[in-house]
Amino acid sequence: MGKLYDCIIIGSGPAGLTAAIYAARACLSVLVLEKEFVSGGQVVNTYEVDNYPGYRGISGFDLGMKFREHAEKLDVEFVMEAVERVDLEKEEKIIYTDQSEYHGRTVILAMGASHRKLEVRGEEDFSGMGVSYCATCDGAFFKGKTVAVVGGGDVAIEDAIFLSKGCEKVYLIHRRNQLRGAESLQRELFARPNIEVIWDSEVTRILGEDQVESVHLKNTENGEKRNLPVEGLFVAVGVVPCTTLIKGQVALDDFGYVKAREDCVTNIPGVFAAGDLRTKPMKQIVTAVADGANAINSARNYLTKKE
């Protein structure tokens, strides 16, 4: 058997990186397992972060890099491997990746969440060919073109605003008659002359030849159908927790989120959940960071009782 870590962290978003920083400062032997080439989780795809204290207007990518650099300065060990399965119910936890296996006394689950899909015809066919889930990643490819954003929350509004800076026309398609996003974002959205909100509508199909050319819309109030010509479709309808890996071991709620309180304690001793995959009313960078700190505090208490 290889090294037995005090703590293994699965995921390197704000929650996972904060947990790594706190673990290192607590003199725990810690390993971070990440599957992406860049640390930071969903935050790296955010064009501008304006609500994280001390870093007003910073890009999500830059903020993610600052988290990573902080952890690296504390000599946190990182391994880029995809976790395939876990054995968490015994006292010694085993994490199996696509290349190896790792053993830990405690585990922090910080896999975050992934983009929710529309689940309509044409979505998979045109993924990467006009259908995107990241406006800041792919927006530059649509400069001077007409695009649509689907959603009504903060992310959808932010995406529409961002795209309006380079696109000729931006439609925001929302299935209700009122947006859910912050008032400040809505004011900026409605002030943009090249943004048009299409209310009470949902996308039922995505069409095109080699790339997206239009979307079919259905009015949720009267059932009327129409075809909307667009060259790109950006989907921003929420996220789903990345908890498939732990299903059947860690207790989840009806929506797939890990059942854990503010102390991040799960139903399995020595296993803690931090970030967007945990049940909580508000999912923001600042709450993920708080989770990372709380998770390590709980892990330390657990380890101390074991001594």
Side-chain angles (χ1 to χ4, degrees), residues 28-93:
L28 301 179
S29 59
V30 57
L31 171 69
V32 177
L33 294 171
E34 56 182 353
K35 64 178 181 178
E36 305 294 344
F37 288 99
V38 179
S39 298
Q42 293 184 72
V43 69
V44 301
N45 297 325
T46 303
Y47 171 67
E48 185 176 83
V49 177
D50 202 40
N51 59 357
Y52 190 75
Y55 290 101
R56 184 180 181 187
I58 190 172
S59 75
F61 179 85
D62 288 343
L63 183 59
M65 290 305 97
K66 286 185 178 294
F67 289 160
R68 171 65 184 251
E69 289 166 8
H70 192 163
E72 287 180 335
K73 286 181 179 178
L74 294 171
D75 297 321
V76 169
E77 183 180 350
F78 288 85
V79 172
M80 194 177 74
E81 296 175 12
V83 177
E84 295 186 336
R85 62 188 180 93
V86 296
D87 184 355
L88 303 175
E89 297 178 306
K90 298 177 182 178
E91 185 168 339
E92 185 173 309
K93 322 300 181 186

Short mmCIF file of all heavy atoms in Angstrom, two decimals, residues 28-93:
data_model
loop_
_atom_site.label_atom_id
_atom_site.label_comp_id
_atom_site.label_asym_id
_atom_site.label_seq_id
_atom_site.Cartn_x
_atom_site.Cartn_y
_atom_site.Cartn_z
N LEU A 28 -1.82 18.89 8.01
CA LEU A 28 -2.33 17.58 7.60
C LEU A 28 -1.69 17.21 6.27
O LEU A 28 -1.47 18.06 5.41
CB LEU A 28 -3.86 17.63 7.43
CG LEU A 28 -4.69 18.02 8.65
CD1 LEU A 28 -6.18 18.05 8.27
CD2 LEU A 28 -4.46 17.07 9.81
N SER A 29 -1.40 15.94 6.08
CA SER A 29 -0.92 15.48 4.77
C SER A 29 -2.13 15.43 3.85
O SER A 29 -3.13 14.77 4.15
CB SER A 29 -0.25 14.11 4.88
OG SER A 29 -1.15 13.15 5.41
N VAL A 30 -2.07 16.17 2.75
CA VAL A 30 -3.26 16.34 1.93
C VAL A 30 -2.94 16.14 0.45
O VAL A 30 -1.87 16.50 -0.03
CB VAL A 30 -3.88 17.75 2.14
CG1 VAL A 30 -2.87 18.85 1.86
CG2 VAL A 30 -5.14 17.94 1.31
N LEU A 31 -3.88 15.52 -0.25
CA LEU A 31 -3.78 15.29 -1.69
C LEU A 31 -5.04 15.82 -2.35
O LEU A 31 -6.14 15.54 -1.90
CB LEU A 31 -3.63 13.80 -1.99
CG LEU A 31 -3.72 13.39 -3.47
CD1 LEU A 31 -2.51 13.89 -4.25
CD2 LEU A 31 -3.85 11.87 -3.59
N VAL A 32 -4.87 16.57 -3.45
CA VAL A 32 -6.00 17.05 -4.23
C VAL A 32 -6.04 16.30 -5.55
O VAL A 32 -5.06 16.30 -6.30
CB VAL A 32 -5.91 18.57 -4.51
CG1 VAL A 32 -7.08 19.02 -5.38
CG2 VAL A 32 -5.88 19.35 -3.20
N LEU A 33 -7.16 15.65 -5.82
CA LEU A 33 -7.36 14.95 -7.09
C LEU A 33 -8.23 15.82 -7.98
O LEU A 33 -9.34 16.20 -7.60
CB LEU A 33 -8.02 13.60 -6.86
CG LEU A 33 -7.20 12.56 -6.08
CD1 LEU A 33 -8.06 11.35 -5.75
CD2 LEU A 33 -5.98 12.13 -6.89
N GLU A 34 -7.75 16.13 -9.17
CA GLU A 34 -8.51 16.96 -10.10
C GLU A 34 -8.47 16.35 -11.49
O GLU A 34 -7.46 15.78 -11.90
CB GLU A 34 -7.96 18.39 -10.13
CG GLU A 34 -6.49 18.49 -10.47
CD GLU A 34 -5.97 19.92 -10.44
OE1 GLU A 34 -6.76 20.86 -10.28
OE2 GLU A 34 -4.74 20.08 -10.58
N LYS A 35 -9.57 16.49 -12.22
CA LYS A 35 -9.64 15.89 -13.55
C LYS A 35 -9.44 16.90 -14.67
O LYS A 35 -9.20 16.52 -15.81
CB LYS A 35 -10.98 15.17 -13.74
CG LYS A 35 -12.20 16.07 -13.71
CD LYS A 35 -13.46 15.26 -13.96
CE LYS A 35 -14.70 16.16 -13.95
NZ LYS A 35 -15.95 15.39 -14.23
N GLU A 36 -9.54 18.20 -14.35
CA GLU A 36 -9.40 19.23 -15.38
C GLU A 36 -7.96 19.72 -15.44
O GLU A 36 -7.20 19.62 -14.49
CB GLU A 36 -10.34 20.40 -15.08
CG GLU A 36 -11.81 20.01 -14.93
CD GLU A 36 -12.41 19.49 -16.22
OE1 GLU A 36 -11.81 19.70 -17.29
OE2 GLU A 36 -13.50 18.87 -16.15
N PHE A 37 -7.61 20.31 -16.59
CA PHE A 37 -6.27 20.86 -16.77
C PHE A 37 -6.06 22.13 -15.97
O PHE A 37 -4.94 22.49 -15.64
CB PHE A 37 -6.01 21.14 -18.25
CG PHE A 37 -5.83 19.90 -19.09
CD1 PHE A 37 -6.87 19.40 -19.83
CD2 PHE A 37 -4.62 19.23 -19.10
CE1 PHE A 37 -6.72 18.25 -20.60
CE2 PHE A 37 -4.45 18.07 -19.86
CZ PHE A 37 -5.51 17.58 -20.61
N VAL A 38 -7.15 22.83 -15.65
CA VAL A 38 -7.06 24.10 -14.94
C VAL A 38 -7.88 24.01 -13.65
O VAL A 38 -9.03 23.58 -13.67
CB VAL A 38 -7.59 25.26 -15.81
CG1 VAL A 38 -7.52 26.57 -15.04
CG2 VAL A 38 -6.79 25.36 -17.11
N SER A 39 -7.27 24.42 -12.54
CA SER A 39 -8.00 24.44 -11.27
C SER A 39 -8.97 25.62 -11.24
O SER A 39 -8.82 26.60 -11.97
CB SER A 39 -7.01 24.58 -10.11
OG SER A 39 -6.13 23.48 -10.06
N GLY A 40 -9.97 25.51 -10.36
CA GLY A 40 -10.90 26.62 -10.18
C GLY A 40 -12.35 26.25 -10.35
O GLY A 40 -13.24 27.00 -9.98
N GLY A 41 -12.62 25.08 -10.96
CA GLY A 41 -14.01 24.66 -11.14
C GLY A 41 -14.77 25.58 -12.07
O GLY A 41 -14.22 26.15 -13.02
N GLN A 42 -16.07 25.77 -11.79
CA GLN A 42 -16.92 26.59 -12.65
C GLN A 42 -16.49 28.05 -12.72
O GLN A 42 -16.75 28.73 -13.71
CB GLN A 42 -18.37 26.53 -12.15
CG GLN A 42 -19.04 25.19 -12.29
CD GLN A 42 -20.49 25.26 -11.85
OE1 GLN A 42 -21.33 25.83 -12.53
NE2 GLN A 42 -20.78 24.70 -10.68
N VAL A 43 -15.78 28.51 -11.68
CA VAL A 43 -15.42 29.93 -11.64
C VAL A 43 -14.53 30.34 -12.80
O VAL A 43 -14.58 31.49 -13.25
CB VAL A 43 -14.74 30.27 -10.29
CG1 VAL A 43 -13.36 29.64 -10.19
CG2 VAL A 43 -14.62 31.79 -10.13
N VAL A 44 -13.74 29.42 -13.34
CA VAL A 44 -12.83 29.80 -14.43
C VAL A 44 -13.59 30.18 -15.69
O VAL A 44 -13.04 30.83 -16.59
CB VAL A 44 -11.81 28.67 -14.74
CG1 VAL A 44 -10.97 28.33 -13.53
CG2 VAL A 44 -12.50 27.43 -15.28
N ASN A 45 -14.85 29.79 -15.80
CA ASN A 45 -15.66 30.13 -16.96
C ASN A 45 -16.47 31.41 -16.78
O ASN A 45 -17.26 31.77 -17.64
CB ASN A 45 -16.62 28.98 -17.29
CG ASN A 45 -15.88 27.72 -17.67
OD1 ASN A 45 -14.83 27.77 -18.30
ND2 ASN A 45 -16.42 26.57 -17.29
N THR A 46 -16.26 32.08 -15.66
CA THR A 46 -16.98 33.32 -15.38
C THR A 46 -16.17 34.51 -15.88
O THR A 46 -15.01 34.68 -15.52
CB THR A 46 -17.23 33.47 -13.86
OG1 THR A 46 -17.94 32.32 -13.40
CG2 THR A 46 -18.03 34.72 -13.57
N TYR A 47 -16.81 35.31 -16.71
CA TYR A 47 -16.12 36.45 -17.32
C TYR A 47 -15.63 37.44 -16.27
O TYR A 47 -14.48 37.88 -16.29
CB TYR A 47 -17.06 37.16 -18.30
CG TYR A 47 -16.53 38.47 -18.83
CD1 TYR A 47 -15.42 38.52 -19.66
CD2 TYR A 47 -17.15 39.67 -18.47
CE1 TYR A 47 -14.93 39.72 -20.13
CE2 TYR A 47 -16.66 40.88 -18.94
CZ TYR A 47 -15.56 40.90 -19.78
OH TYR A 47 -15.08 42.09 -20.24
N GLU A 48 -16.48 37.79 -15.34
CA GLU A 48 -16.11 38.77 -14.33
C GLU A 48 -16.79 38.43 -13.01
O GLU A 48 -17.99 38.19 -12.96
CB GLU A 48 -16.52 40.17 -14.79
CG GLU A 48 -16.07 41.28 -13.86
CD GLU A 48 -16.40 42.65 -14.42
OE1 GLU A 48 -17.56 43.12 -14.24
OE2 GLU A 48 -15.53 43.25 -15.05
N VAL A 49 -16.00 38.43 -11.94
CA VAL A 49 -16.52 38.18 -10.60
C VAL A 49 -16.57 39.51 -9.86
O VAL A 49 -15.53 40.17 -9.70
CB VAL A 49 -15.63 37.18 -9.83
CG1 VAL A 49 -16.15 36.99 -8.40
CG2 VAL A 49 -15.59 35.84 -10.55
N ASP A 50 -17.75 39.90 -9.44
CA ASP A 50 -17.90 41.22 -8.82
C ASP A 50 -18.43 41.14 -7.40
O ASP A 50 -18.74 42.16 -6.79
CB ASP A 50 -18.84 42.09 -9.67
CG ASP A 50 -18.62 43.57 -9.42
OD1 ASP A 50 -17.45 43.98 -9.28
OD2 ASP A 50 -19.61 44.32 -9.35
N ASN A 51 -18.56 39.91 -6.87
CA ASN A 51 -19.15 39.78 -5.54
C ASN A 51 -18.27 38.97 -4.57
O ASN A 51 -18.75 38.54 -3.53
CB ASN A 51 -20.54 39.13 -5.63
CG ASN A 51 -20.50 37.75 -6.27
OD1 ASN A 51 -19.44 37.30 -6.71
ND2 ASN A 51 -21.64 37.09 -6.33
N TYR A 52 -16.99 38.80 -4.94
CA TYR A 52 -16.08 38.13 -4.01
C TYR A 52 -15.25 39.20 -3.32
O TYR A 52 -14.54 39.97 -3.98
CB TYR A 52 -15.18 37.13 -4.74
CG TYR A 52 -14.41 36.25 -3.77
CD1 TYR A 52 -15.04 35.21 -3.11
CD2 TYR A 52 -13.07 36.50 -3.50
CE1 TYR A 52 -14.36 34.43 -2.20
CE2 TYR A 52 -12.37 35.71 -2.59
CZ TYR A 52 -13.03 34.68 -1.93
OH TYR A 52 -12.35 33.90 -1.03
N PRO A 53 -15.32 39.29 -2.00
CA PRO A 53 -14.67 40.39 -1.26
C PRO A 53 -13.18 40.55 -1.59
O PRO A 53 -12.42 39.57 -1.60
CB PRO A 53 -14.86 39.97 0.20
CG PRO A 53 -16.10 39.15 0.19
CD PRO A 53 -16.04 38.38 -1.10
N GLY A 54 -12.81 41.78 -1.87
CA GLY A 54 -11.40 42.09 -2.10
C GLY A 54 -10.93 41.97 -3.53
O GLY A 54 -9.81 42.37 -3.85
N TYR A 55 -11.78 41.41 -4.41
CA TYR A 55 -11.36 41.20 -5.80
C TYR A 55 -12.44 41.67 -6.77
O TYR A 55 -12.82 40.97 -7.69
CB TYR A 55 -11.07 39.71 -6.05
CG TYR A 55 -9.83 39.21 -5.35
CD1 TYR A 55 -9.93 38.49 -4.16
CD2 TYR A 55 -8.57 39.45 -5.88
CE1 TYR A 55 -8.80 38.03 -3.52
CE2 TYR A 55 -7.43 38.99 -5.24
CZ TYR A 55 -7.55 38.28 -4.06
OH TYR A 55 -6.42 37.82 -3.44
N ARG A 56 -12.95 42.86 -6.57
CA ARG A 56 -14.02 43.36 -7.43
C ARG A 56 -13.57 43.46 -8.89
O ARG A 56 -12.53 44.02 -9.19
CB ARG A 56 -14.49 44.72 -6.95
CG ARG A 56 -15.67 45.24 -7.75
CD ARG A 56 -16.14 46.60 -7.28
NE ARG A 56 -17.28 47.03 -8.07
CZ ARG A 56 -17.83 48.23 -7.98
NH1 ARG A 56 -17.35 49.11 -7.12
NH2 ARG A 56 -18.86 48.54 -8.75
N GLY A 57 -14.38 42.86 -9.78
CA GLY A 57 -14.09 42.96 -11.21
C GLY A 57 -13.03 42.01 -11.72
O GLY A 57 -12.62 42.10 -12.88
N ILE A 58 -12.58 41.06 -10.91
CA ILE A 58 -11.55 40.11 -11.34
C ILE A 58 -12.19 39.05 -12.24
O ILE A 58 -13.36 38.71 -12.08
CB ILE A 58 -10.88 39.43 -10.11
CG1 ILE A 58 -9.64 38.63 -10.55
CG2 ILE A 58 -11.87 38.56 -9.35
CD1 ILE A 58 -8.84 38.10 -9.37
N SER A 59 -11.44 38.55 -13.20
CA SER A 59 -11.97 37.47 -14.04
C SER A 59 -12.01 36.18 -13.24
O SER A 59 -11.20 35.98 -12.33
CB SER A 59 -11.10 37.28 -15.29
OG SER A 59 -9.89 36.62 -14.97
N GLY A 60 -12.94 35.32 -13.58
CA GLY A 60 -13.05 34.04 -12.87
C GLY A 60 -11.79 33.22 -13.00
O GLY A 60 -11.36 32.56 -12.04
N PHE A 61 -11.19 33.24 -14.18
CA PHE A 61 -9.95 32.49 -14.40
C PHE A 61 -8.84 32.98 -13.46
O PHE A 61 -8.15 32.18 -12.82
CB PHE A 61 -9.50 32.62 -15.85
CG PHE A 61 -8.23 31.88 -16.17
CD1 PHE A 61 -8.26 30.54 -16.49
CD2 PHE A 61 -7.01 32.54 -16.13
CE1 PHE A 61 -7.08 29.85 -16.77
CE2 PHE A 61 -5.83 31.87 -16.41
CZ PHE A 61 -5.87 30.52 -16.73
N ASP A 62 -8.69 34.31 -13.38
CA ASP A 62 -7.63 34.86 -12.52
C ASP A 62 -7.88 34.55 -11.05
O ASP A 62 -6.94 34.26 -10.30
CB ASP A 62 -7.54 36.38 -12.71
CG ASP A 62 -6.94 36.76 -14.05
OD1 ASP A 62 -6.29 35.89 -14.68
OD2 ASP A 62 -7.11 37.92 -14.48
N LEU A 63 -9.14 34.58 -10.63
CA LEU A 63 -9.45 34.26 -9.23
C LEU A 63 -9.13 32.80 -8.95
O LEU A 63 -8.55 32.47 -7.90
CB LEU A 63 -10.91 34.56 -8.94
CG LEU A 63 -11.36 34.34 -7.48
CD1 LEU A 63 -10.56 35.21 -6.53
CD2 LEU A 63 -12.86 34.62 -7.34
N GLY A 64 -9.49 31.91 -9.88
CA GLY A 64 -9.18 30.50 -9.72
C GLY A 64 -7.68 30.26 -9.61
O GLY A 64 -7.22 29.44 -8.81
N MET A 65 -6.91 31.00 -10.41
CA MET A 65 -5.45 30.86 -10.37
C MET A 65 -4.88 31.35 -9.04
O MET A 65 -3.90 30.78 -8.53
CB MET A 65 -4.83 31.63 -11.53
CG MET A 65 -5.08 31.02 -12.90
SD MET A 65 -4.57 29.28 -13.04
CE MET A 65 -6.13 28.42 -12.75
N LYS A 66 -5.49 32.38 -8.48
CA LYS A 66 -5.02 32.87 -7.17
C LYS A 66 -5.25 31.82 -6.09
O LYS A 66 -4.41 31.62 -5.21
CB LYS A 66 -5.71 34.18 -6.82
CG LYS A 66 -5.19 35.37 -7.63
CD LYS A 66 -5.81 36.66 -7.16
CE LYS A 66 -5.23 37.86 -7.94
NZ LYS A 66 -3.79 38.05 -7.64
N PHE A 67 -6.41 31.16 -6.14
CA PHE A 67 -6.68 30.07 -5.19
C PHE A 67 -5.62 28.97 -5.34
O PHE A 67 -5.08 28.47 -4.35
CB PHE A 67 -8.07 29.48 -5.44
CG PHE A 67 -9.21 30.37 -5.06
CD1 PHE A 67 -10.47 30.16 -5.59
CD2 PHE A 67 -9.05 31.41 -4.15
CE1 PHE A 67 -11.55 30.96 -5.24
CE2 PHE A 67 -10.12 32.22 -3.79
CZ PHE A 67 -11.37 32.00 -4.34
N ARG A 68 -5.34 28.59 -6.58
CA ARG A 68 -4.39 27.51 -6.85
C ARG A 68 -2.99 27.90 -6.39
O ARG A 68 -2.28 27.11 -5.75
CB ARG A 68 -4.40 27.19 -8.35
CG ARG A 68 -3.30 26.23 -8.81
CD ARG A 68 -3.45 24.84 -8.21
NE ARG A 68 -2.34 23.97 -8.60
CZ ARG A 68 -2.44 22.95 -9.45
NH1 ARG A 68 -3.62 22.66 -9.98
NH2 ARG A 68 -1.41 22.20 -9.73
N GLU A 69 -2.57 29.12 -6.70
CA GLU A 69 -1.23 29.58 -6.31
C GLU A 69 -1.06 29.58 -4.79
O GLU A 69 0.01 29.23 -4.28
CB GLU A 69 -0.99 30.99 -6.86
CG GLU A 69 -0.82 31.03 -8.38
CD GLU A 69 -0.93 32.44 -8.93
OE1 GLU A 69 -0.99 33.40 -8.12
OE2 GLU A 69 -0.96 32.59 -10.17
N HIS A 70 -2.11 29.97 -4.08
CA HIS A 70 -2.06 29.97 -2.62
C HIS A 70 -1.81 28.55 -2.10
O HIS A 70 -0.96 28.33 -1.23
CB HIS A 70 -3.37 30.51 -2.07
CG HIS A 70 -3.34 30.82 -0.60
ND1 HIS A 70 -4.28 31.63 0.01
CD2 HIS A 70 -2.51 30.42 0.39
CE1 HIS A 70 -4.02 31.73 1.29
NE2 HIS A 70 -2.95 30.98 1.56
N ALA A 71 -2.53 27.59 -2.66
CA ALA A 71 -2.36 26.20 -2.23
C ALA A 71 -0.96 25.69 -2.58
O ALA A 71 -0.33 24.97 -1.79
CB ALA A 71 -3.42 25.32 -2.89
N GLU A 72 -0.48 26.04 -3.75
CA GLU A 72 0.85 25.59 -4.17
C GLU A 72 1.95 26.13 -3.27
O GLU A 72 2.95 25.45 -2.99
CB GLU A 72 1.11 26.00 -5.62
CG GLU A 72 0.32 25.18 -6.64
CD GLU A 72 0.60 25.60 -8.07
OE1 GLU A 72 1.00 26.78 -8.27
OE2 GLU A 72 0.44 24.76 -8.97
N LYS A 73 1.78 27.36 -2.80
CA LYS A 73 2.78 27.96 -1.91
C LYS A 73 2.85 27.24 -0.57
O LYS A 73 3.85 27.35 0.16
CB LYS A 73 2.47 29.45 -1.70
CG LYS A 73 2.80 30.30 -2.92
CD LYS A 73 2.50 31.78 -2.67
CE LYS A 73 2.84 32.61 -3.89
NZ LYS A 73 2.52 34.05 -3.70
N LEU A 74 1.80 26.50 -0.25
CA LEU A 74 1.78 25.71 0.99
C LEU A 74 2.17 24.26 0.72
O LEU A 74 2.00 23.39 1.58
CB LEU A 74 0.39 25.78 1.62
CG LEU A 74 -0.04 27.16 2.14
CD1 LEU A 74 -1.50 27.17 2.55
CD2 LEU A 74 0.84 27.58 3.33
N ASP A 75 2.70 24.02 -0.48
CA ASP A 75 3.19 22.68 -0.89
C ASP A 75 2.10 21.62 -0.90
O ASP A 75 2.36 20.44 -0.62
CB ASP A 75 4.34 22.24 0.02
CG ASP A 75 5.55 23.15 -0.10
OD1 ASP A 75 5.85 23.59 -1.22
OD2 ASP A 75 6.19 23.42 0.95
N VAL A 76 0.89 22.01 -1.27
CA VAL A 76 -0.19 21.04 -1.42
C VAL A 76 0.13 20.15 -2.63
O VAL A 76 0.57 20.63 -3.66
CB VAL A 76 -1.54 21.75 -1.62
CG1 VAL A 76 -2.62 20.75 -2.03
CG2 VAL A 76 -1.95 22.47 -0.34
N GLU A 77 -0.11 18.87 -2.48
CA GLU A 77 0.15 17.92 -3.56
C GLU A 77 -1.08 17.80 -4.46
O GLU A 77 -2.19 17.55 -3.98
CB GLU A 77 0.50 16.55 -2.97
CG GLU A 77 0.86 15.50 -4.02
CD GLU A 77 1.20 14.16 -3.41
OE1 GLU A 77 1.35 14.08 -2.16
OE2 GLU A 77 1.30 13.17 -4.17
N PHE A 78 -0.88 17.97 -5.76
CA PHE A 78 -1.96 17.86 -6.75
C PHE A 78 -1.68 16.69 -7.69
O PHE A 78 -0.54 16.48 -8.10
CB PHE A 78 -2.08 19.13 -7.59
CG PHE A 78 -2.65 20.32 -6.86
CD1 PHE A 78 -1.83 21.14 -6.09
CD2 PHE A 78 -4.00 20.60 -6.94
CE1 PHE A 78 -2.35 22.24 -5.42
CE2 PHE A 78 -4.53 21.70 -6.27
CZ PHE A 78 -3.71 22.51 -5.51
N VAL A 79 -2.71 15.96 -8.03
CA VAL A 79 -2.61 14.89 -9.03
C VAL A 79 -3.77 15.05 -10.01
O VAL A 79 -4.93 15.16 -9.58
CB VAL A 79 -2.67 13.49 -8.37
CG1 VAL A 79 -2.77 12.41 -9.45
CG2 VAL A 79 -1.44 13.25 -7.52
N MET A 80 -3.46 15.10 -11.30
CA MET A 80 -4.51 15.23 -12.31
C MET A 80 -4.88 13.86 -12.84
O MET A 80 -4.27 13.33 -13.77
CB MET A 80 -4.06 16.14 -13.46
CG MET A 80 -5.22 16.57 -14.35
SD MET A 80 -4.73 17.70 -15.66
CE MET A 80 -3.88 16.55 -16.75
N GLU A 81 -5.89 13.27 -12.22
CA GLU A 81 -6.41 11.96 -12.61
C GLU A 81 -7.91 11.95 -12.37
O GLU A 81 -8.40 12.59 -11.44
CB GLU A 81 -5.74 10.83 -11.81
CG GLU A 81 -4.24 10.70 -12.07
CD GLU A 81 -3.59 9.65 -11.17
OE1 GLU A 81 -4.32 8.88 -10.53
OE2 GLU A 81 -2.34 9.62 -11.11
N ALA A 82 -8.63 11.24 -13.20
CA ALA A 82 -10.09 11.16 -13.07
C ALA A 82 -10.46 10.06 -12.09
O ALA A 82 -10.02 8.91 -12.23
CB ALA A 82 -10.73 10.90 -14.42
N VAL A 83 -11.27 10.40 -11.09
CA VAL A 83 -11.73 9.40 -10.12
C VAL A 83 -12.82 8.56 -10.75
O VAL A 83 -13.79 9.08 -11.30
CB VAL A 83 -12.25 10.09 -8.84
CG1 VAL A 83 -12.80 9.05 -7.87
CG2 VAL A 83 -11.14 10.90 -8.19
N GLU A 84 -12.65 7.25 -10.69
CA GLU A 84 -13.62 6.33 -11.30
C GLU A 84 -14.55 5.68 -10.30
O GLU A 84 -15.70 5.41 -10.59
CB GLU A 84 -12.86 5.27 -12.11
CG GLU A 84 -12.11 5.86 -13.30
CD GLU A 84 -11.47 4.79 -14.18
OE1 GLU A 84 -11.22 3.67 -13.65
OE2 GLU A 84 -11.24 5.06 -15.37
N ARG A 85 -14.05 5.39 -9.10
CA ARG A 85 -14.91 4.84 -8.06
C ARG A 85 -14.28 5.07 -6.69
O ARG A 85 -13.08 5.38 -6.59
CB ARG A 85 -15.19 3.35 -8.26
CG ARG A 85 -13.98 2.44 -8.23
CD ARG A 85 -14.36 1.02 -8.64
NE ARG A 85 -13.22 0.12 -8.61
CZ ARG A 85 -12.89 -0.64 -7.58
NH1 ARG A 85 -13.64 -0.62 -6.48
NH2 ARG A 85 -11.85 -1.45 -7.63
N VAL A 86 -15.09 4.96 -5.66
CA VAL A 86 -14.62 5.23 -4.30
C VAL A 86 -15.13 4.17 -3.35
O VAL A 86 -16.20 3.59 -3.55
CB VAL A 86 -15.08 6.63 -3.81
CG1 VAL A 86 -14.46 7.73 -4.66
CG2 VAL A 86 -16.60 6.73 -3.82
N ASP A 87 -14.37 3.92 -2.30
CA ASP A 87 -14.79 3.04 -1.21
C ASP A 87 -14.67 3.86 0.06
O ASP A 87 -13.58 4.04 0.60
CB ASP A 87 -13.89 1.80 -1.16
CG ASP A 87 -14.35 0.79 -0.12
OD1 ASP A 87 -15.30 1.10 0.63
OD2 ASP A 87 -13.75 -0.30 -0.04
N LEU A 88 -15.78 4.39 0.54
CA LEU A 88 -15.76 5.36 1.63
C LEU A 88 -16.25 4.84 2.97
O LEU A 88 -16.07 5.50 3.99
CB LEU A 88 -16.62 6.57 1.24
CG LEU A 88 -16.25 7.29 -0.06
CD1 LEU A 88 -17.28 8.37 -0.36
CD2 LEU A 88 -14.85 7.88 0.01
N GLU A 89 -16.87 3.69 2.99
CA GLU A 89 -17.57 3.25 4.19
C GLU A 89 -16.68 2.62 5.25
O GLU A 89 -17.07 2.51 6.41
CB GLU A 89 -18.70 2.30 3.79
CG GLU A 89 -19.76 2.99 2.92
CD GLU A 89 -20.87 2.06 2.48
OE1 GLU A 89 -20.57 1.01 1.90
OE2 GLU A 89 -22.04 2.41 2.71
N LYS A 90 -15.47 2.24 4.87
CA LYS A 90 -14.52 1.71 5.86
C LYS A 90 -13.74 2.85 6.50
O LYS A 90 -13.76 3.98 6.02
CB LYS A 90 -13.57 0.72 5.19
CG LYS A 90 -14.28 -0.49 4.59
CD LYS A 90 -13.29 -1.40 3.88
CE LYS A 90 -14.01 -2.57 3.24
NZ LYS A 90 -13.07 -3.45 2.48
N GLU A 91 -13.04 2.55 7.57
CA GLU A 91 -12.29 3.59 8.27
C GLU A 91 -11.21 4.18 7.36
O GLU A 91 -10.96 5.38 7.37
CB GLU A 91 -11.66 3.03 9.55
CG GLU A 91 -10.97 4.09 10.39
CD GLU A 91 -10.60 3.59 11.77
OE1 GLU A 91 -11.21 2.61 12.24
OE2 GLU A 91 -9.71 4.20 12.38
N GLU A 92 -10.55 3.32 6.58
CA GLU A 92 -9.57 3.80 5.62
C GLU A 92 -10.25 3.94 4.26
O GLU A 92 -10.73 2.96 3.69
CB GLU A 92 -8.38 2.84 5.53
CG GLU A 92 -7.27 3.35 4.62
CD GLU A 92 -6.03 2.46 4.66
OE1 GLU A 92 -5.56 2.17 5.78
OE2 GLU A 92 -5.56 2.05 3.58
N LYS A 93 -10.31 5.14 3.76
CA LYS A 93 -11.00 5.42 2.50
C LYS A 93 -10.07 5.13 1.32
O LYS A 93 -8.88 5.43 1.37
CB LYS A 93 -11.46 6.88 2.44
CG LYS A 93 -11.97 7.46 3.75
CD LYS A 93 -13.17 6.70 4.31
CE LYS A 93 -13.64 7.34 5.62
NZ LYS A 93 -14.71 6.57 6.27
#
